[in-house]
Amino acid sequence: MKCPFCGYEETKVIDSRPTDEKIRRRRECLNCEKRFTTYEVVETMPLVVIKKDKSREIFDRDKLMNGLVRACEKRPISVEMLDNIVNGIETQLLNMLEREVSSYQIGEMAMQRLKNIDEVAYVRFASVYRQFADINSFMDELKTLLKEK
């Protein structure tokens, strides 16, 4: 980091603290010993979702949350629990270090988390996500769920 006063290229960090979406650093020049503040922004790569029709769109956590809220209507699941699910999925996706992820993977992650919380919400989400064609495919999913218990 170059000193804004004397142009010397070496500084030391005296204090570092996070602010809203930035990191505030208090620095001191090793040459002139003057202090100054810098703000750093964490650079994130946008996560792109590959949909079933092969189109691509930027990951939208609100879209995932809306799908989960619809599946959990009239169920004893708090908004905080749903927010934790979305946060967990988003963190897992970002930790994969992939720039593109399929909607299939996101749906599977959501269903796995719902299955552990509420089986009715899980079946509701699966019925929309997997687009059950008829009652037999719906029953197959229920049978699988019962076998796992």
Side-chain angles (χ1 to χ4, degrees):
M1 175 62 63
K2 217 178 215 185
C3 173
F5 303 107
C6 70
Y8 192 67
E9 293 194 12
E10 290 187 44
T11 62
K12 68 177 179 180
V13 176
I14 298 168
D15 181 45
S16 184
R17 63 183 65 172
T19 59
D20 296 326
E21 293 179 9
K22 304 175 195 170
I23 299 172
R24 178 185 180 271
R25 296 200 195 279
R26 202 63 192 132
R27 298 178 179 269
E28 183 179 309
C29 176
L30 296 177
N31 183 44
C32 68
E33 297 181 357
K34 289 189 178 180
R35 294 183 176 188
F36 59 98
T37 302
T38 60
Y39 292 93
E40 297 176 19
V41 177
V42 178
E43 186 176 56
T44 58
M45 302 271 258
L47 184 62
V48 176
V49 178
I50 304 169
K51 299 173 72 172
K52 289 178 186 173
D53 65 358
K54 303 295 182 208
S55 65
R56 288 167 164 70
E57 66 180 43
I58 292 179
F59 175 75
D60 183 0
R61 60 177 286 122
D62 292 334
K63 194 171 180 180
L64 177 58
M65 181 63 134
N66 290 337
L68 291 170
V69 166
R70 269 186 257 116
C72 297
E73 277 182 30
K74 298 183 182 179
R75 301 298 304 156
I77 301 171
S78 69
V79 174
E80 183 181 342
M81 289 174 79
L82 295 178
D83 202 37
N84 288 339
I85 290 173
V86 173
N87 288 338
I89 291 171
E90 186 174 28
T91 300
Q92 186 177 350
L93 292 172
L94 293 173
N95 288 340
M96 287 171 38
L97 302 177
E98 301 280 332
R99 294 176 80 182
E100 295 185 334
V101 64
S102 70
S103 60
Y104 173 81
Q105 287 176 285
I106 296 170
E108 290 297 320
M109 290 176 187
M111 288 193 316
Q112 189 59 47
R113 285 167 171 80
L114 278 177
K115 187 189 288 187
N116 296 333
I117 293 173
D118 187 282
E119 292 172 345
V120 173
Y122 162 77
V123 172
R124 286 180 181 172
F125 189 88
S127 70
V128 173
Y129 170 71
R130 291 204 175 135
Q131 297 176 336
F132 295 141
D134 55 23
I135 192 72
N136 291 329
S137 55
F138 189 78
M139 287 302 294
D140 291 341
E141 186 66 33
L142 290 175
K143 287 176 187 172
T144 304
L145 185 61
L146 289 172
K147 283 180 187 176
E148 290 175 3
K149 283 188 110 180

